[in-house]
Amino acid sequence: MRNTLRIASVFFNFFWLSSVYSQAGFDAFFKPSDTLHQARRNAVVISESVLTATALVGLNQLWYADYPKSNFHTVNDNSNWMQMDKLGHVYSAYHLGRFSAEMLQWSGVSKKDQLLYGAGYGFAFLTAVEVFDGYSAEWGFSWGDIFSNAVGTSLYVSQEMLWKEQRIIPKFSFHTTSYANQRPELLGSSLSEQILKDYNGQTYWLSANVASFFKTTAIPKWANLALGYGADGMTSAIDTQNQERYRQFYLSLDVDLTKIKSNSYFLKTLFSVFNMVKIPAPTFEINTSGNSKFYFFYF
């Protein structure tokens, strides 16, 4: 299935997490427990299980029911959308796993279980959706998608094991394009649909925290450098209309919101939630059409 549902599921879990936290109304509620807090852990496990089951049943009824079923089959879609959808899988798996791990950290679960059950959640959920794809005649089970999911999960787990912090964070930005007007049924007719469907306007980033690597006080702890990737000229998954399609590579400044000092656990939670989005900043682009550009603010 196209990456729409993967990104949507990330935002769904984000805002669920925010709403659960907000109901307490006290900053202490947001503070992670130093020891196992069984009530919190049970709430996380039950809520996540219910939400996952609801999401999968909803996908089956509201999405897959509109398309014919088939025997389980695989597809090779690695050349589709100039690999933008594969980066979406990396991004989705990383952040679904990260948020699940952080919720378990909030409940005082051990680091081992955070990585095993928390970070693994993103991969497990997206694999389940991929199985649904395998039984749909419209799509198919994609090993390329599974590999991308594994990369996203591994990016989170490996950093926790190596550095005990996330120094390199996948991020996302979006701007509207003219291509959606050409094929609104495929690329989206509204802004919310276009954010999820129009790969021409999406940019995926790897945002690296400079001070964490160089261990210097001369650089603000929140200052990041970001490498981005995008693609342009796509009105279909593969080039069928002889339209110029090209890749875009970006270098930009960014902010790691989780490195901003705050005594408020509520603000720390918000910073963590929104740290998946790349901030608008001066950006340099070079692309495979032979051009280069500079933006005072790019998003």
Side-chain angles (χ1 to χ4, degrees):
M1 175 183 287
R2 288 165 294 183
N3 195 50
T4 301
L5 295 176
R6 278 77 174 191
I7 299 178
S9 66
V10 175
F11 281 97
F12 177 74
N13 278 270
F14 277 170
F15 290 111
W16 169 78
L17 175 62
S18 299
S19 65
V20 170
Y21 283 164
S22 300
Q23 291 173 5
F26 299 99
D27 191 69
F29 178 80
F30 297 85
K31 182 179 180 181
S33 178
D34 295 329
T35 58
L36 178 62
H37 193 300
Q38 293 188 356
R40 287 186 178 185
R41 182 199 60 188
N42 293 343
V44 169
V45 172
I46 293 173
S47 298
E48 228 176 39
S49 299
V50 171
L51 287 170
T52 300
T54 302
L56 292 177
V57 171
L59 286 176
N60 187 56
Q61 295 298 318
L62 300 177
W63 186 280
Y64 293 100
D66 294 334
Y67 300 95
K69 300 290 185 181
S70 70
N71 293 328
F72 185 84
H73 64 287
T74 62
V75 295
N76 184 348
D77 60 354
N78 293 333
S79 62
N80 289 5
W81 300 111
M82 301 188 77
Q83 295 77 52
M84 287 295 292
D85 62 322
K86 297 298 179 282
L87 290 181
H89 279 270
V90 173
Y91 174 86
S92 299
Y94 175 93
H95 285 293
L96 280 173
R98 178 172 75 88
F99 285 126
S100 184
E102 288 180 356
M103 285 189 287
L104 290 177
Q105 179 190 23
W106 170 73
S107 61
V109 170
S110 69
K111 189 67 175 181
K112 177 182 177 181
D113 287 346
Q114 290 174 35
L115 296 181
L116 181 61
Y117 300 109
Y121 170 77
F123 181 81
F125 177 82
L126 295 176
T127 297
V129 176
E130 201 65 41
V131 171
F132 282 2
D133 282 355
Y135 286 102
S136 173
E138 184 74 13
W139 296 283
F141 184 95
S142 168
W143 285 109
D145 290 351
I146 293 295
F147 176 78
S148 299
N149 297 339
V151 170
T153 300
S154 299
L155 180 60
Y156 178 82
V157 173
S158 60
Q159 292 188 82
E160 287 296 318
M161 295 180 67
L162 181 61
W163 298 315
K164 295 181 172 56
E165 63 177 350
Q166 296 297 299
R167 298 183 182 182
I168 303 173
I169 301 172
K171 293 196 176 186
F172 175 83
S173 65
F174 176 81
H175 58 271
T176 58
T177 74
S178 61
Y179 300 106
N181 293 329
Q182 299 178 33
R183 298 198 66 185
E185 75 286 354
L186 180 64
L187 302 179
S189 57
S190 65
L191 177 60
S192 59
E193 287 185 346
Q194 291 169 21
I195 291 174
L196 299 174
K197 295 181 178 182
D198 186 1
Y199 290 111
N200 300 281
Q202 297 177 5
T203 306
Y204 289 100
W205 304 84
L206 285 179
S207 182
N209 185 254
V210 181
S212 294
F213 282 102
F214 293 99
K215 300 298 182 183
T216 174
T217 58
I219 301 173
K221 292 184 177 180
W222 45 261
N224 278 27
L225 281 176
L227 296 175
Y229 173 75
D232 200 88
M234 301 177 293
T235 55
S236 59
I238 57 177
D239 186 8
T240 58
Q241 301 179 7
N242 296 319
Q243 187 168 11
E244 182 185 8
R245 300 154 66 99
Y246 58 91
R247 304 177 189 275
Q248 301 158 306
F249 303 93
Y250 301 93
L251 176 64
S252 183
L253 302 175
D254 191 30
V255 172
D256 185 341
L257 298 177
T258 65
K259 301 293 185 182
I260 298 176
K261 287 186 177 181
S262 175
N263 294 323
S264 169
Y265 288 100
F266 172 75
L267 285 179
K268 289 180 179 180
T269 300
L270 288 182
F271 289 157
S272 178
V273 168
F274 289 102
N275 206 39
M276 64 185 290
V277 179
K278 166 76 170 60
I279 67 165
T283 301
F284 177 74
E285 172 196 339
I286 185 170
N287 57 56
T288 55
S289 69
N291 297 319
S292 60
K293 300 178 183 178
F294 177 78
Y295 307 85
F296 283 105
F297 289 100
Y298 177 86
F299 191 74

